Amino acid sequence: MAVANTTKTSWRLQEIVAHSSNVSSVALGKSSGRLLATGGEDCRVNIWAISKPNCIMSLTGHNNPVECVQFNSSEEQVVAGSQSGSLRVWDLEAAKILRTLIGHKANICSLDFHPYGEYLASGSMDTNIKLWDIRRKGCVFRYKGHTQAVRCLAFSPDGKWLASAGDDCTIKLWDLTAGKMITEFMAHTGAVNIVQFHPNEYMLASGSSDRTVKLWDLEKFKMIGSSEGETGAVRCISFDPDGCCLYSGAMDSLRVYGWEPDRCFDLVPVGWGRVADLAICNHQLIGVSFHMTNVSSYVVDLTRVKKSGSVIQGVIQDNQPLTEPSPKGSTLRRNYERPMTTCNTQRVKQQSSEAQRRSPEGERQSPSSEDEREEKESSAEIRNADDYKEIFQPKSAISRTPPMRSEPFPAPFEDEIFVVRPNVTLDTVTPTVDIQQSGQSKPIASSTPVLRVEPTVVSSAPRPIPIQTAMSSVTRPTSSNPPAPRPAPPAAVTLAKAKPQPSVILSTRNEPIGLNVGDFLPHARNNRPSVLGDDEALSQIRKGHDTMCVMLTSRRKNLDTVRAVWGSGDVKTSLDSAMSMNDLSIVVDILNIVNLKPSLWKLDLCMSILPQIEELLQSKYESYVQTGCMSLKLILKRFWPLISDTLTAPPSVGVDITREERHQKCKACYNQLKNLSNMVKNKADQVGRHGSSFKELQLLMAPLDY
């Protein structure tokens, strides 16, 4: 068994139930690789120690779902941005709120701390980037240039530059002292999800939804490398600490890249799904991902990963020798000059007063009564005092020198299985609804309790349980006025009344829609649970199977028909045939393909598809709504300038049939977009992924009101 352990390259470390509602963002502490921050739709930020099951600290204060979280370089502070555009910074060592920063007009999409000064950068769906002075509680500068949401930010190692990228497929490089853009890279064909500077050399890496990783020379401002072969969107990248290679995280895989020439050294399968963040510590790479309320962490042993030598993909042949990459930077490219102290930010600070005079928002420099009230309502609740003292208290002690080094995570046994179980003890939380009355938020009690579940990680494989035993441990609710319940064992499941059908059916969920545990239980006699046989259980599972097969067969037949028309090369005719079938699932399937190729869109196509988009946005299926939002975003991005210019242009002299036809099409599209804008405004107040998408559309549709 021990010998088998030594051959394991990647494994799942743990899985925790991180929030009482869906998790929306996660961030790892890059210095230690041992701290994790999670943000959720419950408006909380929870702090965890990697590999430990219990929450260390729970941070409150936001009144809207948390969209983005980030640690500073020393991991003593954490910042969280909300769906409303507000930022809150907490001091983890002192366990208190440090700052509340307000200025953005839409969701916060990206955050990063300055490596030396007390500065913070934030990117938003309102397309703006703001540089904040945490000590003075004000906005130092605002950088404008992106046309869509800013998805990622990164400061250079010397703290002089800021790289930004987003949904507009561009990467912009900003000079912090001059307050202007240095250059712009536009080689990506999809949204850019992540950017990172090389730790030593003047080089930048970027990962995109176009399934490529690109490398940029920051002296010559040109692309020096581009990867091929990713099977999905690149979500995370991280340079090796010595700069010899680049790690790229995508769907269920980790790739190791070299450059000059481009090559892929290794491909490691990792079951992390849509990985959200990476950190490197003790020759191990830590990756985290989240799904609904759960957060999973994975480990890759970098000592067993190829970083040089023969390649598995690239321009180098297997029989040709490879030059060993130079550690600590190459002589071909200049290295960063890091300041000797943390006080070398004078030029940025000198810009502060001038920038504030020019700033149209007028962010506050001194605390106001509203700010003080918000900070009083914020709190840092310590859930685990022992872990809190172990991690945060030694930072202020003199005996911290030399610092403690964490040990690598040991690989698990081959037959070890990680199971997520909620604790038996559940805390009831009264949800709060914000009411703007007398400047205070008042909690409204709900008859349905919200359960806050603390996670317990079980790292041993449980024995299989026969279905009769499992079913017999499931009890049904009794009639009204039941006697006091007995304490149930941890394996027991107590059923309340059947869950109502959700108003929105999520595209990812932990349980099938329409399948209730109660359906597997016959009516109990004398309030005693009875045993359900295997045949009865299987019949319940198979309920509706034949109907589903008929539906899928019909759907495939319709798709074959559309595919035959698609072969002629006429996209509009293909979509018309799909719409004539009166089956939204077929329209969604075709749109998911067309959305990946914006060049296929024409004005005629917009006219045909806009009425279908209206139906998709009103659907109860989340996947339909998201497809409709993506199509509408593409139409606004590519065709709104043409529609606006055509409708506002003066009438031409003479007869121009082509122009008249284009004018009629643009007018029809404008009327349909105007109708859609009212729907988008009504849905922009929703919470979660839907609300985020509709708020972005609302910003794009703002010119329709002028």
Side-chain angles (χ1 to χ4, degrees), residues 343-565:
C343 301
N344 192 12
T345 53
Q346 188 63 30
R347 292 187 62 188
V348 178
K349 289 190 285 185
Q350 289 174 352
Q351 296 278 344
S352 177
S353 59
E354 181 181 355
Q356 280 301 310
R357 288 194 296 268
R358 297 198 307 263
S359 177
E361 294 91 14
E363 284 87 353
R364 293 179 291 272
Q365 293 288 328
S366 58
S368 65
S369 58
E370 183 180 355
D371 291 338
E372 292 175 353
R373 179 180 60 82
E374 288 178 347
E375 292 183 2
K376 287 180 180 178
E377 293 176 355
S378 303
S379 66
E381 176 187 347
I382 297 176
R383 298 284 186 85
N384 191 317
D386 294 335
D387 286 345
Y388 169 75
K389 291 179 181 179
E390 179 184 349
I391 295 173
F392 296 109
Q393 291 299 320
K395 293 188 176 183
S396 59
I398 300 177
S399 60
R400 192 182 173 209
T401 305
M404 293 186 301
R405 295 183 61 85
S406 55
E407 295 295 326
F409 294 115
F413 294 103
E414 289 291 343
D415 59 347
E416 214 165 359
I417 300 176
F418 290 88
V419 181
V420 184
R421 287 185 185 174
N423 283 354
V424 180
T425 305
L426 301 179
D427 297 327
T428 303
V429 179
T430 303
T432 59
V433 180
D434 292 336
I435 301 180
Q436 302 300 327
Q437 181 178 357
S438 303
Q440 295 181 352
S441 299
K442 297 183 178 180
I444 297 180
S446 172
S447 58
T448 304
V450 179
L451 302 181
R452 182 171 70 244
V453 183
E454 294 294 338
T456 300
V457 179
V458 181
S459 58
S460 59
R463 296 178 59 187
I465 302 174
I467 189 168
Q468 292 89 348
T469 306
M471 290 301 175
S472 64
S473 66
V474 182
T475 58
R476 294 184 61 87
T478 58
S479 58
S480 59
N481 300 324
R486 297 179 180 178
V493 180
T494 303
L495 288 180
K497 59 182 180 180
K499 295 181 180 178
Q501 290 291 336
S503 58
V504 177
I505 299 179
L506 302 177
S507 57
T508 56
R509 49 191 179 267
N510 288 332
E511 58 184 17
I513 295 296
L515 188 65
N516 297 319
V517 181
D519 294 339
F520 292 87
L521 302 175
H523 293 289
R525 297 178 180 178
N526 300 325
N527 295 330
R528 292 181 181 179
S530 58
V531 177
L532 187 67
D534 290 356
D535 293 338
E536 295 178 4
L538 289 175
S539 66
Q540 293 290 341
I541 295 175
R542 290 172 178 169
K543 185 191 299 182
H545 176 71
D546 294 337
T547 304
M548 177 63 70
C549 289
V550 171
M551 184 188 70
L552 291 177
T553 302
S554 173
R555 183 171 178 178
R556 179 177 179 178
K557 182 180 179 181
N558 291 337
L559 285 173
D560 287 339
T561 303
V562 175
R563 184 181 180 183
V565 180

Side-chain angles (χ1 to χ4, degrees), residues 41 43 64-65 67 83 683-692:
E41 293 180 3
C43 309
N64 292 275
E67 293 285 317
Q83 201 174 83
K683 292 179 176 290
D685 295 332
Q686 294 182 359
V687 175
R689 188 181 178 190
H690 271 8
S692 179

Side-chain angles (χ1 to χ4, degrees), residues 27-48:
L28 284 165
K30 300 300 189 292
S31 299
S32 67
R34 295 297 186 266
L35 274 183
L36 172 67
T38 62
E41 293 180 3
D42 56 4
C43 309
R44 286 177 173 261
V45 177
N46 291 338
I47 307 298
W48 310 80

Side-chain angles (χ1 to χ4, degrees), residues 161-186:
W161 291 352
L162 175 68
S164 63
D167 290 350
D168 56 7
C169 311
T170 66
I171 303 167
K172 300 181 188 297
L173 200 62
W174 308 88
D175 188 325
L176 297 181
T177 57
K180 64 181 181 180
M181 186 174 70
I182 302 173
T183 189
E184 182 179 23
F185 302 121
M186 297 185 291

